[in-house]
Amino acid sequence: MKPQEFVSKWRNVGFGEKQASQEMFLDICALVDHPTPGSIGNPDVFTFEKWVPGGFADAFLEEHFGWEFKGSDSELDVALNQLLRYQVHLKTPPLLIVSSFETIRIQTNFPGMATERHEIPVAALDQKQHLDKLRWAFHAPVRFRPNRTVDAVTRETADLFYSIVRDMEQRDVDPEKLARYLNQIVFCLYAEDAELLPSGLFTRIVREYNHDAQTFDDAVRNLFQQMSGGGLFGADRINYFNGDLFNVVDSVVFSPAAMFQLHQATLKDWRNIEPSIVGTLFERALDASKRSQLGAHYTSAADIELVVEPVVMDPLRREWEAVRQEVDALIDAGNDTAARQRLEAFQSRLASVTVLDPACGSGNFLYIALRSLLDLEKQVIDFNDALSFSMGWDEMYPRVRPNQMLGLEINPYAAELARTALWIGYIQWHQANGIHYRRIPILTPMETIHQTDAILADGDAHTPIETEWPAAEFIIGNPPFLGYSPSRYQLGDDYVKALYSIYSERVPNISDYCCYWFEKANAQIANGKSKRAGLLATQSIRGQTSRRVLERIKETGDIFLAWADHPWVLEGAAVHVSIVGFDDGSELDRTLDGKSVGSINANLMTGVDLTRAKRLDSNLGISFIGDMKKGKFEISAEIAYRMLNEVGNPNGKPNSNVVCSWANGLDITRRWRDMWIIDFDISMTEDEAAQYEMPFEHIKREVKPIRDKVRNPLERQRWWVHGRTAPDLRQAVAGMGRYIATVRVAKHRLFVFLNENILPDGNLVVFARNDFYTFGVLHSHIHEVWALAMGTQLESRPRYTPTTCFETFPFPEPDESQRAAIAEAAARLTELREGWLNPPGAIAADLKGRTLTNLYNQRPTWLVNAHATLDAAVAAAYGWPPDLDDAAILERLLALNLERSERDGASLK
């Protein structure tokens, strides 16, 4: 059919939808040169009247579109809502098309992409630009794919508001007042595009008073007041919004620059805003301490679902499956009334679910939980709709509400944002699923998000009070990531003292801060106030001290879910975390790192329980953490040599007494840098140190200004001395000639010898041994397997901890020939490595890339062979075959550890 023929036939027809819609569709197929449903002959791919729960889609072409016909343009919005309800059952087609005899409207439906609409007048289908779009719908729907993602639109919007905040801060506007005012504006921009406010109303106010900020403020405050109770705004009737969002109406007069940015914001399509990230991005804009994170990554919905799905949704989905089977059985038995009652009871069950995030931030976890509950409730509604034709049942309407989400948050900006994000997400879900949002008032007060400290209700060191968490069926969230030392620095001494006075019997005082959330969640479950919890943690929660909280969880319940090492985005930075789900032991399935396992130990491993390992007497006093300087005491070789050559100190002593060679991890993993350090003995007074004139004056310039600002009083007072001088290490290696060292956090577990005159930095672990036998055992695969299992991680790099990785490790008990074989293999390994690192005649440019890290990244055959010889010698010393897998190695080492510890009487506790 030619375009002119089509237009002539269908322009100004007088038919109704039922009379001619299919004939018109067949003509459209002819117009765009596409086979008809009948000619394809596969109703699963292309058909009229595609059945879905609750109705039929008028036309469906798989992976192209769902299509609804109506008799007039006035019914197109109704038709689109139908398709939105049907879309999941139509396999989420990329296009949702609604049409009358006057208009064809194409709405894009690409997951994660901004939504766009294309209007095609039927009378204009003889024009190429309109006809091409219709052809694309049948032949190339990807041509409609929008250029921008929902995430990008949300980021752009947050950037605009960041500009407003930055400008208004210069006018000394109260941050809390500004946060509330901007939240109200954000909701109005969304409500306008979502047609909860009269079309274009807020945009008209912005454009009308773009150059009169005072009048704009008067106008929007008047609008906010009408929204709080409903009424007239000029000639426009305003819906009754209610809720706590508009309870307080402040006056904030924008600057001209802020008004310009707000005008730009009205140009965005606010229907496409993503609630799961808008809170985070706005929080960063409103909180100056997080300003540097703007534009950085954010935690995605898929990441949050790693917690929400297994902790909250899995048990509810199992309940729903059981209910479906029960309803089917009741219908088969002819008991329709009981079947309907059972469905309604489960819908009530979903409406009673409560979810607590005790560190809710701007509400991301709660929004995803709310959305997931609504999605499950829609399955219930769809199931009801599918049966309603034969049962005569009434329509169901979603009953899950935002106030089922409970939150605790100390930051006032974030708490306010959480409420706004939840309401926007709730309304958005209804509209995205074609469900008319018909609640009056539109908003209700959300008193379930509380601004409070989740751990201490009163952090006074003298009268501390523990925060009482509200009861909730599920607990989820992302507690603050502060280690032991940072928590004292950021929280303050009084708070930390209060924390210890309440929790010290339950949580070791040197635990990471997030452990207190785990302890309180565990207590909620033990006291029957919650059923399941899923929380994020620093990876050190698997380590010796912080792990105690997981051991307590397993004493009264169990861990059913864990991701021991998972990449995450935390406050804009890419990090690695542990994720832990736990309950009272009721959950029978266990999942570790995405795989089904029989059990999960407190160190977030399965199989042999290495948390039972004890420290061994025979290994004590050998391994040490290096010196921690706590200031810029290190110096270049050039400066060091000048100091060493300097004479004339008033005490008559050489600077070599306080200037020595120094090494940190870079000197092991990369090339030797010939760095030095100024190192005053811990017993030296300031006057005694000052008599080493040149070194002392150097650190007075470089170190003292920084030390004057630190919190630790001893470090401030004795600023010329390193923060932790490791006297036990110094004494242990004295007179040994050399010692063994490894980098605490590194990709590869590498061991080297260092001269005893080299002061090791705090990121090195030192072993007070100088023999090749010890070196060989430490560098063996057997020890590496143990160290990886017993250590923790920093991001993706393993961390070696002396107390857990070395002091628990049971060395072999070889005879002399076995000891000699290990030493010989170790010596050969070091000889070969040195030959590769520093080949004779090599120039500086050649040596630059010859590092141990690069060597172990490449693993040439000679290196693999050298390690294989060493590993075989160490295995023989244990009396084990050389080809044991890692699980068997760990099992045997643990058995040896427990045997030795019983003999030695040592205990990790």
Side-chain angles (χ1 to χ4, degrees):
M1 178 174 282
K2 295 180 179 180
Q4 294 81 3
E5 294 178 69
F6 183 90
V7 171
S8 176
K9 177 176 179 179
W10 293 106
R11 181 169 49 194
N12 301 323
V13 297
F15 293 115
E17 172 194 348
K18 299 294 185 183
Q19 297 168 304
S21 59
Q22 289 192 7
E23 182 181 348
M24 182 182 184
F25 187 82
L26 294 174
D27 281 354
I28 289 174
C29 290
L31 177 66
V32 300
D33 194 24
H34 191 278
T36 63
S39 63
I40 287 181
N42 186 344
D44 291 330
V45 173
F46 194 16
T47 186
F48 290 117
E49 298 297 315
K50 175 69 174 179
W51 181 88
V52 295
F56 297 86
D58 289 338
F60 167 70
L61 178 56
E62 187 176 38
E63 297 182 355
H64 287 69
F65 55 73
W67 194 311
E68 277 293 316
F69 294 93
K70 291 298 177 184
S72 66
D73 282 1
S74 63
E75 299 177 277
L76 292 184
D77 287 341
V78 175
L80 180 61
N81 281 339
Q82 284 181 253
L83 284 179
L84 288 168
R85 287 198 302 273
Y86 299 163
Q87 62 172 314
V88 173
H89 307 286
L90 299 175
K91 304 177 185 178
T92 314
L95 303 177
L96 303 177
I97 303 178
V98 294
S99 69
S100 66
F101 293 105
E102 296 88 26
T103 305
I104 299 172
R105 179 182 298 164
I106 301 173
Q107 178 163 305
T108 63
N109 193 43
F110 293 86
M113 305 304 293
T115 301
E116 295 178 353
R117 282 187 179 180
H118 302 265
E119 297 272 343
I120 301 176
V122 169
L125 272 172
D126 54 356
Q127 299 176 21
K128 184 178 185 302
Q129 69 268 27
H130 296 306
L131 184 57
D132 282 348
K133 286 186 178 181
L134 195 57
R135 286 196 177 104
W136 297 345
F138 283 81
H139 296 284
V142 72
R143 296 285 294 270
F144 286 97
R145 184 180 178 86
N147 292 325
R148 294 185 303 161
T149 65
V150 171
D151 294 359
V153 172
T154 307
R155 285 180 187 279
E156 292 169 9
T157 307
D159 287 343
L160 290 173
F161 275 79
Y162 167 56
S163 299
I164 293 174
V165 171
R166 184 175 56 185
D167 187 73
M168 295 303 293
E169 281 181 339
Q170 298 173 3
R171 299 165 65 91
D172 296 325
V173 176
D174 176 70
E176 188 170 345
K177 181 187 294 187
L178 179 61
R180 181 165 50 246
Y181 192 77
L182 289 178
N183 275 334
Q184 291 165 337
I185 287 177
V186 166
F187 188 84
C188 286
L189 287 164
Y190 172 75
E192 175 184 72
D193 284 353
E195 300 178 358
L196 301 173
L197 282 173
S199 179
L201 173 62
F202 192 82
T203 295
R204 292 200 305 272
I205 297 172
V206 174
R207 292 175 181 173
E208 180 73 23
Y209 303 114
N210 194 40
H211 300 292
D212 186 354
Q214 181 62 66
T215 305
F216 168 77
D217 179 58
D218 294 339
V220 294
R221 283 190 294 112
N222 184 15
L223 175 61
F224 295 164
Q225 289 166 354
Q226 297 306 315
M227 293 173 74
S228 67
L232 291 175
F233 181 81
D236 292 301
R237 180 165 296 281
I238 306 301
N239 281 322
Y240 175 30
F241 282 81
N242 195 13
D244 48 10
L245 185 58
F246 297 99
N247 282 349
V248 177
V249 178
D250 295 309
S251 176
V252 178
V253 180
F254 276 3
S255 66
M259 287 301 303
F260 174 78
Q261 295 299 332
L262 182 59
H263 179 267
Q264 296 301 110
T266 64
L267 304 178
K268 305 293 181 183
D269 185 351
W270 283 78
R271 291 173 303 174
N272 287 322
I273 220 74
E274 174 51 62
S276 67
I277 65 170
V278 68
T280 296
L281 296 175
F282 273 62
E283 181 185 353
R284 293 174 188 168
L286 292 167
D287 187 344
S289 67
K290 298 181 177 181
R291 199 63 52 75
S292 63
Q293 300 160 10
L294 279 165
H297 295 292
Y298 59 89
T299 305
S300 69
D303 283 335
I304 296 172
E305 286 168 355
L306 290 175
V307 178
V308 173
E309 280 296 316
V311 174
V312 179
M313 300 310 301
D314 278 359
L316 294 175
R317 294 189 203 286
R318 290 196 294 260
E319 286 185 41
W320 168 230
E321 184 57 34
V323 168
R324 286 188 57 163
Q325 294 179 13
E326 185 178 344
V327 169
D328 285 339
L330 288 168
I331 291 174
D332 289 344
N335 198 340
D336 298 348
T337 300
R340 171 67 181 195
Q341 290 172 345
R342 187 68 189 91
L343 271 184
E344 290 176 339
F346 185 72
Q347 190 181 25
S348 297
R349 157 78 173 119
L350 293 180
S352 70
V353 169
T354 49
V355 181
L356 169 66
D357 184 344
C360 72
S362 47
N364 288 4
F365 276 74
L366 293 178
Y367 163 70
I368 297 299
L370 175 64
R371 187 184 72 180
S372 300
L373 280 173
L374 286 164
D375 286 344
L376 180 56
E377 186 177 20
K378 186 172 183 296
Q379 292 183 33
V380 180
I381 294 171
D382 286 346
F383 187 74
N384 173 82
D385 289 347
L387 296 170
S388 293
F389 292 109
S390 56
M391 304 299 167
W393 292 348
D394 294 332
E395 180 185 3
M396 280 184 171
Y397 189 78
R399 295 173 56 188
V400 169
R401 302 297 305 278
N403 58 15
Q404 294 173 232
M405 303 297 110
L406 287 59
L408 304 178
E409 174 54 46
I410 194 170
N411 185 316
Y413 307 144
E416 192 86 25
L417 284 161
R419 300 184 186 101
T420 305
L422 281 171
W423 272 119
I424 289 177
Y426 180 67
I427 297 170
Q428 194 179 59
W429 180 91
H430 282 73
Q431 296 183 330
N433 285 277
I435 299 174
H436 177 58
Y437 188 79
R438 61 190 183 194
R439 297 188 184 278
I440 298 295
I442 290 173
L443 310 179
T444 54
M446 192 182 298
E447 300 173 352
T448 56
I449 307 294
H450 299 284
Q451 184 193 336
T452 184
D453 187 298
I455 305 301
L456 293 177
D458 187 341
D460 185 276
H462 302 291
T463 58
I465 301 173
E466 182 175 349
T467 301
E468 182 177 350
W469 287 6
E473 185 171 355
F474 303 103
I475 299 172
I476 56 175
N478 184 0
F481 274 31
L482 294 177
Y484 163 61
S485 296
S487 67
R488 180 175 287 276
Y489 179 78
Q490 295 187 33
L491 300 173
D493 290 336
D494 287 346
Y495 185 96
V496 172
K497 289 177 183 177
L499 195 68
Y500 291 172
S501 68
I502 289 181
Y503 291 94
S504 59
E505 293 184 3
R506 292 176 278 166
V507 181
N509 288 350
I510 58 174
S511 301
D512 283 358
Y513 191 38
C514 66
C515 293
Y516 295 92
W517 272 259
F518 279 80
E519 170 59 28
K520 287 189 67 66
N522 186 42
Q524 292 289 98
I525 293 172
N527 294 332
K529 294 183 177 181
S530 186
K531 291 183 178 180
R532 294 158 70 97
L535 299 172
L536 269 67
T538 56
Q539 289 194 74
S540 58
I541 199 167
R542 298 181 286 153
Q544 179 180 348
T545 304
S546 295
R547 188 176 66 213
R548 177 58 187 147
V549 74
L550 298 184
E551 292 170 350
R552 282 176 58 82
I553 286 171
K554 289 183 70 67
E555 289 169 3
T556 57
D558 210 347
I559 299 170
F560 63 82
L561 163 75
W563 292 87
D565 171 22
H566 192 76
W568 198 263
V569 175
L570 182 67
E571 295 189 343
V575 299
H576 282 248
V577 303
S578 294
I579 303 173
V580 186
F582 51 98
D583 67 351
D584 61 0
S586 301
E587 178 62 68
L588 300 179
D589 295 330
R590 306 279 184 271
T591 304
L592 175 62
D593 296 332
K595 299 177 182 178
S596 180
V597 296
S599 63
I600 302 174
N601 303 324
N603 61 352
L604 305 188
M605 296 180 66
T606 191
V608 58
D609 187 1
L610 297 179
T611 64
R612 299 163 56 204
K614 306 293 193 296
R615 295 166 67 184
L616 303 175
D617 279 351
S618 55
N619 289 18
L620 302 182
I622 297 173
S623 60
F624 307 91
I625 300 294
D627 169 275
M628 296 183 180
K629 49 191 174 60
K630 300 290 185 73
K632 192 172 175 51
F633 289 87
E634 72 272 23
I635 54 179
S636 67
E638 180 184 359
I639 295 174
Y641 296 147
R642 287 207 304 265
M643 290 181 180
L644 293 173
N645 292 327
E646 184 76 9
V647 295
N649 284 331
N651 59 12
K653 298 177 181 180
N655 285 333
S656 57
N657 287 358
V658 296
V659 176
C660 65
S661 187
W662 175 76
N664 71 6
L666 295 178
D667 296 292
I668 292 176
T669 60
R670 299 183 188 177
R671 301 290 303 177
W672 181 256
R673 298 172 301 156
D674 195 17
M675 292 292 291
W676 294 67
I677 195 165
I678 299 169
D679 179 31
F680 291 111
D681 188 272
I682 191 172
S683 63
M684 276 192 189
T685 65
E686 182 176 357
D687 183 63
E688 290 170 334
Q691 294 180 41
Y692 293 94
E693 184 177 342
M694 192 174 178
F696 183 85
E697 295 302 328
H698 180 89
I699 63 167
K700 186 177 180 180
R701 291 191 307 272
E702 299 292 335
V703 176
K704 188 175 186 301
I706 305 301
R707 282 286 191 92
D708 285 344
K709 300 175 183 178
V710 301
R711 298 175 64 89
N712 188 318
L714 186 60
E715 291 177 12
R716 286 200 309 272
Q717 295 162 11
R718 296 184 60 79
W719 56 267
W720 60 93
V721 178
H722 294 182
R724 179 187 174 278
T725 59
D728 49 352
L729 179 155
R730 296 168 188 254
Q731 182 178 357
V733 302
M736 296 190 70
R738 66 181 183 181
Y739 56 82
I740 302 170
T742 189
V743 183
R744 290 176 68 187
V745 179
K747 179 180 179 181
H748 304 293
R749 183 51 47 209
L750 305 171
F751 295 84
V752 298
F753 285 110
L754 293 178
N755 188 286
E756 71 168 283
N757 295 324
I758 298 172
L759 181 67
D761 182 62
N763 62 11
L764 298 183
V765 176
V766 167
F767 306 88
R769 292 290 185 268
N770 60 5
D771 59 288
F772 275 116
Y773 162 73
T774 304
F775 180 93
V777 174
L778 290 176
H779 224 321
S780 69
H781 180 68
I782 288 175
H783 178 65
E784 182 180 33
V785 169
W786 182 262
L788 287 172
M790 295 297 289
T792 55
Q793 283 184 291
L794 179 64
E795 297 177 354
S796 60
R797 296 168 294 160
R799 178 192 279 116
Y800 193 100
T801 306
T803 50
T804 58
C805 298
F806 178 81
E807 293 181 358
T808 61
F809 179 69
F811 274 71
E813 295 179 339
D815 58 31
E816 287 304 316
S817 64
Q818 291 170 333
R819 180 182 292 269
I822 293 172
E824 181 181 350
R828 179 58 174 162
L829 172 64
T830 58
E831 178 186 2
L832 291 171
R833 289 198 319 199
E834 180 61 25
W836 185 88
L837 290 168
N838 299 294
I843 61 175
D846 296 331
L847 295 175
K848 186 177 180 180
R850 290 183 176 266
T851 68
L852 279 180
T853 295
N854 286 341
L855 174 60
Y856 278 81
N857 282 341
Q858 298 167 16
R859 289 191 177 271
T861 301
W862 65 261
L863 181 65
V864 173
N865 292 341
H867 272 285
T869 301
L870 175 61
D871 291 340
V874 174
Y878 280 102
W880 299 346
D883 56 351
L884 286 176
D885 62 29
D886 292 354
I889 289 173
L890 291 176
E891 185 176 357
R892 294 187 182 211
L893 286 175
L894 178 62
L896 272 180
N897 170 276
L898 296 177
E899 177 187 320
R900 303 262 181 91
S901 65
E902 185 176 350
R903 182 181 68 194
D904 295 346
S907 173
L908 183 60
K909 308 299 183 187

